[in-house]
Amino acid sequence: MGAEYITLFYNRNLKIYSNILNTQLALKSDKVLLIMGQLHIGVLRDLLLKKPNYKVVEISEFLN
């Protein structure tokens, strides 16, 4: 059961990632504001950092 849950959770992160890319392409935007919970952001950060055209900026850079 644990492996099934992890698979579902990772699949959800992949769908979120796909939605980010598709939305950005559709809007022809060069920036995306993504506010996610702590459980999702780790996987999404890893996926986005592997794309050379993306830069992940922590929210703390804007809140200080």
Side-chain angles (χ1 to χ4, degrees):
M1 181 168 171
E4 264 185 53
Y5 178 75
I6 296 296
T7 301
L8 291 172
F9 183 73
Y10 196 79
N11 187 39
R12 178 69 183 133
N13 285 321
L14 291 175
K15 287 180 182 178
I16 294 169
Y17 174 70
S18 177
N19 286 337
I20 293 167
L21 299 181
N22 289 331
T23 301
Q24 185 181 18
L25 287 173
L27 297 175
K28 296 180 175 76
S29 175
D30 63 342
K31 294 181 183 175
V32 174
L33 172 63
L34 178 64
I35 301 174
M36 295 297 298
Q38 188 175 6
L39 292 175
H40 293 285
I41 199 63
V43 173
L44 294 171
R45 181 187 297 118
D46 289 344
L47 290 169
L48 289 168
L49 287 174
K50 290 180 182 176
K51 293 195 67 71
N53 294 336
Y54 283 77
K55 176 184 175 187
V56 176
V57 179
E58 298 295 329
I59 192 70
S60 60
E61 292 186 34
F62 295 98
L63 296 178
N64 288 332

